[in-house]
Amino acid sequence: MTKLKLIVALLYISLNTNAQTISGKVKDDSGKGLPSTTISLVNEKDSSIAKYATTLKDGTYLFENIRQGKYFLQFSHVGTISKKSEIVDFATSNIIVPEIILIKSNTNLTNVVVETKKQIVEVKADKTILNVEGTINATGNDALELLRKAPGVVVDKDDNLSLAGKNGLQVYIDGKQNPLTGAELAAYLKTLQASQIESIEIITNPSAKYDAAGNAGIINIKFKKNKNLGTNGSVNTGFGIGIYAKYNAGININNRNKNTNIFASYNYSRGLNFNTFKLERTQADTFFSQTNAMKNYNNGSHNFKAGADYFVNKKSTIGIAINGNIADVNTKTAGPMYITFWPTNTLSKYLNATSNNINNRNNVNFNVNYRYITPTGKELNIDADYGYFNLKSNQFQPNDYYSGATNTFLFSNTYHMVSPTKIDIYAFKIDYEQNVGKGKLGVGGKIGFVNTNNDFNRYNVIASVDYKDKDRSNTFLYNENINALYVNYNQSFKGFTLQAGLRAENTISKGQSLGEKLIPLTTTYAPYDSVINKNYFNVFPSAAITFNKNPMSQLGFTFSSRIDRPAYQDLNPFEFKINDYTFMKGNTQLKPQYTNSFGITHTYKYKLTSQLNYSHVKDMFTQVPDTTEKSKSFLSKKNLATQDIVSLNISYPFSKKWYSLFTNINSFYSHFNANFGGGNRTINLEVVTVSIFAQNSFKLGKGFTAEVSGMYNSPTIWQGVFKTKAMYGVDAGIQKTLLKGKATLKTSVSDIFHTMKWRGTTTFSGQTSTASGRWESSQFKINFAYRFGNSQVKAARQRKEAAEEERKRTQASGGMGN
């Protein structure tokens, strides 16, 4: 019997030699097992974290697949005094750590605020997180400016967003898709202040649970929401100045108890921003040189959010929420356009085109939600949403012409354009997850409706009287219904994890322009024939596999298929006049663009992350500058034949005592190819682009922290046709904590060397254009924030949530023990 036990023991050891485990148990001071204790396995050599674990209900824990080396363990639990083990020399045999007893803390935490310091940028297998709340240099910025400096994100001259060379980024606000695109989206993002944003998630490989829209991925802007028990809140105020002054202020308050959670926030901003724009264009025998100065008056932007959660029991929660934005913006543009007959270099005339555009934007979103979750892994989430956007543009545009030879007034064309837009959004979504076998199965569906009513009225102003131009006025109605179902499964195996999903979407879109056009050689108007009626079905697979047998060196492979549908303003065939020589128009024949992406990700020691990706885009959207009437130019969206992109992203965080660094290098090769009729109407461009982002942080002591950040974008191609020059900038800031950690004072200077400006050229359809511009990128900013509330509860809860966040992070990457 003894020999049999010995044989069994030897067999057990031989089968588990590769497991190489460290295990133990944590008890409280009464001798009971202490569950949910956070344990960090720390390298003795450099104090880096090798793995995390949490104790089970009986207080036991287990680390597996440990490399040889010297370690010690750190134990922490809410309400107890943290403890550290002796150094263990781990070879190949399993180690059982002596029992650890954590004693209750008698420290009075009434005036203590425990803050969990996050990295400025966190890079994970499927997304990059920019922790706005924790960075000094985000002070005073709006959301668009934050994205301009985010790793891999490019904002072009028209404020369109792209990521790693791919357009089609979808913007979400607190997990809800925003329907705006182009200039309307940019205007909205400019109203969101950094002081109300907690983080920005750049999700490059969304699972089947997400909408399939967004060929470059998803940007999710998460607002701050206080989750602490008791009554807590914060107030903040800020000031910035470049050429003109800007102001912002906000308040956030939350009350939470065991039955309810009530939260609300309000943020206000106001200021004047200055931009410059220059365009030189050669078309046929005419050379146009245009210079514009633009003043953007933010007369008041109000962002608000409120809601309540009711905890029915430990499993069920019912919630309601409302958020919105009300903005009053006035944009004034002025500047001359010189028109030259280039064969003789004779100035024919010049146009002084001014514009005064009053914009009012109102957006309100409502949500009702229900969540049911059990300890056995079952989770049900139901969301019902309604939102509306009311956008109104009221533009007055005189075009005054002067003689090039005598500088005398010739004539004037004055236009008045009124364009209200109403967008209604309805969505119902259900997600369900449960354990199946040794993995987790997720299923769900979504029904969404977007109804758009864009009424464009153009008037010719003669002797101060408005006369409606029926040829250039219209009402465009566009309705889109998307119905989706998905299934997703993930499971961890010995040495690797697998996730696979399939999403099916049916799109039904209907559009019609209700304008009228003059029948040639008559005085009769007839309805404009522009009906859009499409119904299509697509399946979007996604998959990811991560090999994590060696947690210090993990390798992952991903695949995803995605779609981008045309925005309503890109389909509307009517003209939007910029001046007498330049206008924009939609394209009713614009098709969706489809993308297939393959990726490889390698993570070394939880720090060095390398991502290699290939994407093939079919029918890529591009904004093409076309020609008409010999000397006029118009901008319109078209489908390129293809775009092929290979990208490489490398990121690394480093910290040593008082200094920390995050650096990210993103590079891509892109090939654009299209033929719109041969000759000078073809596009065949190649580009290699490199973007670098670096953030340096310095702990100076006595509550002072400093940051220096920089970004560089090499020459690239915007919208498939516009070749740009390099752009770079450096920011610096300093922060001081005050009032026993309850307050912070931040100051920063952006674009210290005044280098953030853009310039580019394009040649298409017989015209060559060179454009350049800049904005108020160099600013001094200062912000003061004060936190109030029940600090004792806050400290305990923040420790617990930080531990839970770390547990989920390491579990998702396959690097945590049981």
Side-chain angles (χ1 to χ4, degrees):
M1 187 68 180
T2 303
K3 290 183 178 181
L4 180 60
K5 287 182 179 180
L6 180 60
I7 292 172
V8 172
L10 290 173
L11 180 61
Y12 177 83
I13 292 172
S14 66
L15 291 173
N16 289 276
T17 298
N18 292 328
Q20 301 177 4
T21 64
I22 296 178
S23 61
K25 188 171 185 177
V26 181
K27 295 182 177 181
D28 60 21
D29 48 12
S30 67
K32 296 180 180 178
L34 196 59
S36 301
T37 300
T38 301
I39 306 141
S40 306
L41 183 65
V42 185
N43 287 294
E44 186 270 338
K45 183 178 180 180
D46 58 5
S47 296
S48 63
I49 306 296
K51 284 191 175 184
Y52 292 92
T54 54
T55 55
L56 302 177
K57 290 183 179 181
D58 61 354
T60 59
Y61 61 90
L62 176 68
F63 289 99
E64 294 182 301
N65 299 320
I66 309 299
R67 279 193 167 188
Q68 295 184 17
K70 293 183 178 181
Y71 302 91
F72 63 87
L73 283 78
Q74 290 181 326
F75 302 85
S76 62
H77 188 89
V78 176
T80 67
I81 300 174
S82 298
K83 206 166 188 178
K84 184 169 70 173
S85 75
E86 298 293 330
I87 294 174
V88 293
D89 190 354
F90 186 77
T92 58
S93 60
N94 298 333
I95 291 180
I96 299 176
V97 178
E99 288 185 349
I100 297 294
I101 298 176
L102 296 183
I103 301 172
K104 288 183 180 179
S105 172
N106 292 322
T107 305
N108 185 354
L109 298 177
T110 302
N111 296 315
V112 177
V113 177
V114 178
E115 294 187 16
T116 55
K117 179 68 174 178
K118 297 180 180 179
Q119 294 179 1
I120 302 300
V121 180
E122 298 178 80
V123 178
K124 302 183 180 183
D126 63 336
K127 62 185 173 184
T128 299
I129 303 173
L130 179 63
N131 288 309
V132 176
E133 192 174 18
T135 175
I136 301 169
N137 288 334
T139 300
N141 284 326
D142 58 49
L144 186 66
E145 193 65 20
L146 291 173
L147 290 174
R148 193 187 302 274
K149 299 173 183 178
V153 178
V154 172
V155 182
D156 71 11
K157 65 182 180 63
D158 299 314
D159 291 337
N160 295 305
L161 301 174
S162 63
L163 177 64
K166 293 183 288 185
N167 61 18
L169 269 173
Q170 288 291 314
V171 173
Y172 284 52
I173 305 297
D174 275 340
K176 309 295 182 184
Q177 188 174 356
N178 188 298
L180 302 180
T181 60
E184 291 176 351
L185 174 62
Y188 172 73
L189 293 175
K190 289 176 183 178
T191 67
L192 305 181
Q193 296 299 304
S195 57
Q196 68 187 102
I197 299 173
E198 176 183 322
S199 64
I200 297 175
E201 298 179 335
I202 304 170
I203 307 171
T204 53
N205 186 43
S207 70
K209 187 175 181 178
Y210 289 91
D211 291 354
N215 87 329
I218 293 169
I219 288 179
N220 183 30
I221 299 174
K222 298 177 68 175
F223 290 154
K224 294 177 181 177
K225 181 180 178 181
N226 199 320
K227 300 177 182 179
N228 302 308
L229 291 172
T231 300
N232 299 275
S234 64
V235 292
N236 68 84
T237 184
F239 170 79
I241 187 166
I243 300 175
Y244 300 102
K246 296 105 176 124
Y247 312 88
N248 65 82
I251 183 171
N252 183 310
I253 192 166
N254 178 82
N255 179 272
R256 186 185 184 106
N257 57 45
K258 65 179 182 179
N259 295 321
T260 60
N261 177 44
I262 301 173
F263 54 91
S265 65
Y266 169 76
N267 288 270
Y268 174 80
S269 64
R270 183 184 181 92
L272 172 58
N273 292 280
F274 182 76
N275 297 352
T276 60
F277 172 79
K278 185 175 183 180
L279 174 66
E280 294 179 341
R281 177 169 61 89
T282 301
Q283 185 174 337
D285 58 2
T286 306
F287 174 71
F288 301 86
S289 178
Q290 175 185 349
T291 302
N292 286 103
M294 292 169 279
K295 291 183 178 180
N296 191 52
Y297 297 81
N298 176 5
N299 298 318
S301 176
H302 310 264
N303 289 277
F304 57 89
K305 182 176 182 178
D309 299 314
Y310 174 64
F311 309 111
V312 181
N313 50 48
K314 291 183 178 180
K315 297 179 181 179
S316 299
T317 304
I318 299 173
I320 57 172
I322 179 175
N323 68 76
N325 168 260
I326 299 173
D328 176 13
V329 179
N330 185 11
T331 302
K332 295 183 178 181
T333 304
M337 172 188 280
Y338 296 97
I339 304 169
T340 303
F341 181 66
W342 69 261
T344 61
N345 197 29
T346 302
L347 179 63
S348 303
K349 55 180 176 278
Y350 69 89
L351 162 65
N352 189 20
T354 60
S355 173
N356 184 10
N357 191 2
I358 299 173
N359 289 281
N360 296 300
R361 301 184 184 93
N362 299 330
N363 161 233
V364 180
N365 305 294
F366 304 90
N367 170 263
V368 178
N369 59 82
Y370 172 75
R371 186 186 187 198
Y372 176 82
I373 186 169
T374 70
T376 59
K378 293 181 180 180
E379 182 172 347
L380 173 67
N381 287 280
I382 301 174
D383 282 89
D385 294 275
Y386 167 70
Y388 71 83
F389 288 80
N390 282 335
L391 315 172
K392 185 175 182 180
S393 172
N394 189 345
Q395 183 177 8
F396 185 76
Q397 187 189 94
N399 290 264
D400 299 328
Y401 289 85
Y402 296 82
S403 167
T406 62
N407 200 31
T408 57
F409 175 77
L410 299 176
F411 61 92
S412 177
N413 294 326
T414 303
Y415 310 105
H416 182 202
M417 289 160 283
V418 180
S419 180
T421 300
K422 175 72 181 297
I423 304 175
D424 290 291
I425 307 162
Y426 306 85
F428 179 79
K429 184 166 70 81
I430 183 168
D431 301 294
Y432 177 74
E433 289 184 347
Q434 75 168 45
N435 296 326
V436 174
K438 295 183 179 180
K440 178 158 283 190
L441 176 69
V443 295
K446 180 179 178 180
I447 300 173
F449 294 89
V450 179
N451 301 329
T452 304
N453 185 332
N454 176 231
D455 190 15
F456 183 80
N457 298 292
R458 174 176 147 176
Y459 301 88
N460 297 318
V461 182
I462 302 174
S464 301
V465 178
D466 287 0
Y467 296 91
K468 188 170 183 178
D469 187 342
K470 289 186 176 181
D471 284 342
R472 293 174 173 83
S473 299
N474 83 310
T475 297
F476 185 66
L477 305 177
Y478 185 72
N479 301 319
E480 187 175 74
N481 166 221
I482 301 175
N483 305 298
L485 294 172
Y486 77 88
V487 59
N488 197 68
Y489 183 77
N490 63 78
Q491 182 175 341
S492 295
F493 299 87
K494 187 175 182 180
F496 70 96
T497 61
L498 177 67
Q499 177 268 320
L502 189 68
R503 186 178 184 92
E505 293 189 348
N506 173 232
T507 305
I508 304 170
S509 57
K510 297 179 180 180
Q512 184 177 9
S513 183
L514 303 181
E516 295 180 325
K517 64 177 181 179
L518 185 66
I519 299 175
L521 305 178
T522 72
T523 59
T524 304
Y525 284 86
Y528 190 87
D529 183 17
S530 62
V531 175
I532 301 170
N533 199 341
K534 297 181 179 180
N535 188 330
Y536 51 95
F537 175 84
N538 300 106
V539 175
F540 303 96
S542 63
I545 182 170
T546 302
F547 295 94
N548 52 19
K549 184 175 182 180
N550 178 2
M552 294 293 107
S553 180
Q554 301 184 44
L555 183 65
F557 297 87
T558 62
F559 168 78
S560 65
S561 179
R562 302 188 65 74
I563 185 176
D564 281 300
R565 302 173 180 88
Y568 78 91
Q569 60 266 50
D570 295 329
L571 295 168
N572 189 350
F574 269 71
E575 301 174 3
F576 180 81
K577 184 178 287 291
I578 299 173
N579 57 47
D580 273 350
Y581 286 87
T582 311
F583 59 91
M584 302 176 67
K585 63 184 296 186
N587 176 10
T588 58
Q589 303 304 312
L590 197 62
K591 298 180 292 186
Q593 65 178 13
Y594 295 90
T595 302
N596 289 320
S597 297
F598 304 84
I600 303 174
T601 301
H602 180 257
T603 305
Y604 181 67
K605 290 189 175 181
Y606 299 103
K607 289 187 176 182
L608 178 63
T609 303
S610 306
Q611 298 171 321
L612 180 66
N613 185 273
Y614 166 74
S615 297
H616 176 77
V617 185
K618 177 185 175 183
D619 294 326
M620 172 196 167
F621 298 151
T622 182
Q623 184 168 274
V624 177
D626 216 331
T627 59
T628 185
E629 299 177 31
K630 293 185 178 181
S631 62
K632 294 184 178 181
S633 172
F634 69 91
L635 302 174
S636 181
K637 283 284 182 73
K638 294 181 181 293
N639 292 107
L640 278 177
T642 60
Q643 180 192 20
D644 292 283
I645 300 176
V646 178
S647 64
L648 176 65
N649 186 291
I650 300 174
S651 63
Y652 182 75
F654 171 81
S655 60
K656 186 74 173 179
K657 296 182 179 179
W658 50 268
Y659 172 72
S660 64
L661 164 70
F662 174 84
T663 183
N664 177 273
I665 301 175
N666 186 282
S667 61
F668 65 87
Y669 162 82
S670 185
H671 179 213
F672 304 88
N673 182 36
N675 188 336
F676 296 116
N680 58 19
R681 296 180 62 79
T682 62
I683 295 173
N684 191 1
L685 297 174
E686 294 180 295
V687 66
V688 175
T689 299
V690 178
S691 300
I692 302 173
F693 173 85
Q695 177 90 41
N696 302 268
S697 299
F698 310 86
K699 294 181 180 179
L700 306 178
K702 295 184 178 181
F704 283 96
T705 306
E707 283 181 6
V708 178
S709 60
M711 56 82 67
Y712 168 82
N713 289 333
S714 72
T716 187
I717 295 177
W718 290 344
Q719 295 289 306
V721 295
F722 197 78
K723 295 185 286 187
T724 73
K725 299 291 185 181
M727 186 166 62
Y728 54 94
V730 176
D731 302 344
I734 191 166
Q735 171 182 295
K736 176 70 168 75
T737 57
L738 304 166
L739 304 177
K740 298 181 179 180
K742 290 186 176 182
T744 56
L745 181 67
K746 300 179 182 179
T747 61
S748 68
V749 179
S750 60
D751 192 17
I752 296 173
F753 302 109
H754 207 56
T755 53
M756 292 289 285
K757 52 188 175 182
W758 60 269
R759 180 181 176 84
T761 61
T762 181
T763 300
F764 182 79
S765 188
Q767 66 171 318
T768 299
S769 302
T770 300
S772 61
R774 68 173 308 127
W775 64 100
E776 251 182 294
S777 57
S778 298
Q779 294 184 33
F780 169 78
K781 304 163 187 173
I782 185 168
N783 178 273
F784 176 79
Y786 176 77
R787 296 181 296 274
F788 58 88
N790 192 328
S791 299
Q792 183 176 5
V793 176
K794 185 172 186 175
R797 189 169 185 86
Q798 282 189 330
R799 286 200 199 106
K800 184 176 180 180
E801 289 184 354
E804 179 65 12
E805 183 177 335
E806 288 293 346
R807 184 188 68 80
K808 289 180 179 179
R809 180 185 69 82
T810 49
Q811 189 176 49
S813 63
M816 190 188 78
N818 293 324

